[in-house]
Amino acid sequence: MWDDREIYNPEDGETYDSEMEVIDADTVKVSGCVWFICKTQTWKRLEPEGR
């Protein structure tokens, strides 16, 4: 897991602290909080590796 990283949100132009965890070769879980509001997303590669 990576922590103490920043992620950019193009919708509001702000940068936020985040944590990222590699689940497998095609999946990353990204989590972050602003004040007391937290959100987690699972990002999947559009084209799985090896295809």
Side-chain angles (χ1 to χ4, degrees):
M1 178 181 302
W2 293 294
D3 59 4
D4 296 328
R5 302 287 185 222
E6 293 183 335
I7 193 165
Y8 174 73
N9 180 354
E11 292 177 2
D12 64 10
E14 297 292 328
T15 303
Y16 299 96
D17 292 335
S18 68
E19 293 182 356
M20 299 176 196
E21 179 180 359
V22 176
I23 304 299
D24 59 36
D26 298 315
T27 311
V28 176
K29 184 167 72 172
V30 181
S31 303
C33 297
V34 177
W35 293 87
F36 58 88
I37 301 170
C38 298
K39 187 172 185 177
T40 299
Q41 293 182 336
T42 301
W43 295 354
K44 291 200 163 275
R45 189 186 306 257
L46 291 176
E47 295 275 333
E49 192 171 345
R51 291 190 184 173

